[in-house]
Amino acid sequence: MATTAPERRTAPTAAAQRAGQDTRAVPDTRAVRAPVVTALHLSAFRTLRARTVPLEPLTVVTGPGGSGRTSVLQGYEALARLAAGAALDDVFTAGRGEPSPYVPQAAHPDRQGRRGFRLGCAVAGPAGPLRFDVAVQAEPELRVVGERLTDAHGTTLLATALRDPARRAVEATCRAAGAARALRTPFPDDRLTLPLLPLRMAGTTGAERALLQAAEQVVVALRSAFGCAPVPARMRDPVAVRDGMLHGDCANLADVLRRTRAECATRHAALLAAVRDGCTGTVAELRAEECGAGLVRAVLDREHAGAVTPVAWLGDGELRFLALALVLLTGPGVLSVDTVEEVPAARRAMTVLADGLDGGLDERQTAALLTLAERMSERGHVRLLATGTQGGLLAREAARREDVCLVDLGA
């Protein structure tokens, strides 16, 4: 079971831990405007046997090598992509036709030769505390075995099951007038049923509208995730001017700087202040400059006249710091993140997923990023789930802060 440290922070994270194990224990958060994922449930997924990971606005997952830190983020990202309507093959095989790496090697198949894993989450929002789980068969064929959406009272709102293995479809049942009823049309077994519900259900009754609201809450919470893995080598070259939407590898950082500096002076000023905290030397301005037909590069203006430092000259740590600070400050409107467009921005909370956040950073930069994350999370629309090595810079800095939930997978 995940543990938190130090002991003084047990109270704020205990609720999240309870939430991960029983939706009836989730505090009633109907006043929450933006749906958020409050816990992850991962079973037989890579190295994680049966793990509940509580999630707060700022969560740092640590542990020794092989404990499953990266697997936690992979599980979250997989749920996010499935909630966006992606097919299982796109999420788990990427065309390789080999899903078995997601199942522990020691996991034994059943009598029919089947092996698989389970992913789930607890979600808080206007519809109340909910829990969503999906069972995936990885072998011999990749397919959804079943889904279950339950409310705070443990009542099943939606359930799907693979009744006939010979058919590539699952049957779904939902609550109606206090009883379960089967939906007439079967659903495909290669993707989630939950995001497809609005296409199959009219919402003409109160029970249907309540189910659609609950499904929307889970889908919105999961889809508002942004996996951020800055790659310094890709950030050094000039980039083409396009839409200014930051990619997960942050390779188009210069194009995003061009856009944010022109569109939001307040946001850009906050980024400049962060850069001054995390980069060596004096920095007067951070901007994008043209360097060819349709190309831009990012540069730092130094305080002494005429001194310009191309961002490409910075070290890997400074480049990663700059990219991560930009992600925390921009939000969904500037990130290449899949959101539900018909849902107002005020009802969305973006979760930044950063594996090895402190990689290449020094103590000062790590502290500055966590301080920035704390400030942005106070607004309620930016959350951070990051990983770090056991006893590393990020883990030590997180342990000193009251507002950070520290989950140690090795404890």
Side-chain angles (χ1 to χ4, degrees):
M1 180 59 62
T3 59
T4 57
E7 195 171 289
R8 55 184 167 79
R9 295 203 326 274
T10 301
T13 58
Q17 288 179 310
R18 291 194 299 269
Q21 299 180 24
D22 188 345
T23 54
R24 290 170 293 183
V26 182
D28 191 346
T29 53
R30 294 179 188 273
V32 176
R33 297 179 65 194
V36 295
V37 178
T38 58
L40 290 175
H41 310 287
L42 307 170
S43 180
F45 184 73
R46 288 196 176 270
T47 59
L48 301 170
R49 290 291 184 176
R51 176 72 65 170
T52 291
V53 179
L55 301 179
E56 295 187 15
L58 298 180
T59 305
V60 171
V61 178
T62 186
S67 62
R69 300 188 309 266
T70 298
S71 298
V72 171
L73 269 64
Q74 289 176 333
Y76 197 129
E77 287 187 291
L79 280 171
R81 294 185 62 191
L82 292 172
L88 291 178
D89 187 65
D90 293 333
V91 175
F92 295 112
T93 71
R96 296 187 303 273
E98 179 55 66
S100 58
Y102 290 91
V103 183
Q105 279 190 303
H108 297 290
D110 63 13
R111 293 180 179 178
Q112 286 74 41
R114 298 173 300 187
R115 299 199 312 159
F117 52 85
R118 293 177 180 270
L119 301 173
C121 61
V123 178
L130 301 169
R131 174 162 174 168
F132 176 69
D133 295 280
V134 56
V136 177
Q137 174 188 295
E139 299 170 355
E141 295 178 293
L142 186 62
R143 60 203 307 191
V144 174
V145 176
E147 298 169 52
R148 187 174 299 275
L149 177 64
T150 55
D151 65 13
H153 306 289
T155 302
T156 299
L157 304 178
L158 173 74
T160 70
L162 186 65
R163 304 292 184 191
D164 183 359
R167 296 182 62 199
R168 297 308 306 255
V170 296
E171 296 180 8
T173 59
C174 66
R175 298 289 295 181
R181 71 174 178 88
L183 299 180
R184 294 181 181 179
T185 307
F187 289 82
D189 69 348
D190 67 341
R191 63 194 67 229
L192 291 186
T193 294
L194 195 69
L196 298 177
L197 274 184
L199 304 177
R200 307 287 185 88
M201 184 174 289
T204 54
T205 67
E208 287 184 350
R209 288 191 292 272
L211 174 56
L212 289 175
Q213 182 186 20
E216 179 190 76
Q217 175 167 300
V218 175
V219 169
V220 170
L222 286 172
R223 285 174 63 170
S224 297
F226 182 73
C228 181
V231 181
R234 298 179 187 174
M235 298 163 58
R236 300 183 189 280
D237 296 330
V239 297
V241 174
R242 299 194 185 281
D243 59 5
M245 300 293 286
L246 188 67
H247 302 160
D249 62 3
C250 302
N252 64 331
L253 179 139
D255 186 33
V256 180
L257 287 177
R258 172 196 59 79
R259 177 186 168 193
T260 56
R261 187 168 183 262
E263 294 182 0
C264 185
T266 302
R267 180 183 295 161
H268 182 76
L271 177 62
L272 182 58
V275 169
R276 288 168 174 163
D277 287 339
C279 294
T280 58
T282 56
V283 179
E285 183 57 272
L286 170 66
R287 59 185 174 86
E289 69 173 16
E290 295 182 4
C291 58
L295 297 177
V296 291
R297 67 172 184 171
V299 299
L300 299 175
D301 289 336
R302 299 299 185 177
E303 288 190 353
H304 39 286
V308 174
T309 301
V311 165
W313 294 1
L314 301 181
D316 286 359
E318 288 181 308
L319 278 173
R320 293 191 74 255
F321 175 86
L322 172 58
L324 290 165
L326 179 61
V327 169
L328 291 172
L329 283 164
T330 51
V334 182
L335 303 180
S336 182
V337 56
D338 182 36
T339 58
V340 184
E341 296 301 328
E342 59 269 24
V343 176
R347 291 194 55 218
R348 300 197 299 258
M350 183 190 71
T351 299
V352 177
L353 309 178
D355 194 15
L357 179 138
D358 56 346
L361 305 185
D362 60 24
E363 188 172 355
R364 172 178 57 98
Q365 292 167 332
T366 302
L369 275 181
L370 277 185
T371 298
L372 180 59
E374 285 176 332
R375 181 154 55 88
M376 299 308 294
S377 69
E378 289 174 357
R379 302 182 181 184
H381 297 301
V382 175
R383 297 165 69 88
L384 174 66
L385 172 58
T387 67
T389 57
Q390 193 173 45
L393 282 177
L394 182 61
R396 296 199 303 271
E397 185 62 34
R400 291 196 287 265
R401 296 177 182 245
E402 294 281 350
D403 295 332
V404 180
C405 170
L406 185 61
V407 180
D408 188 355
L409 298 181

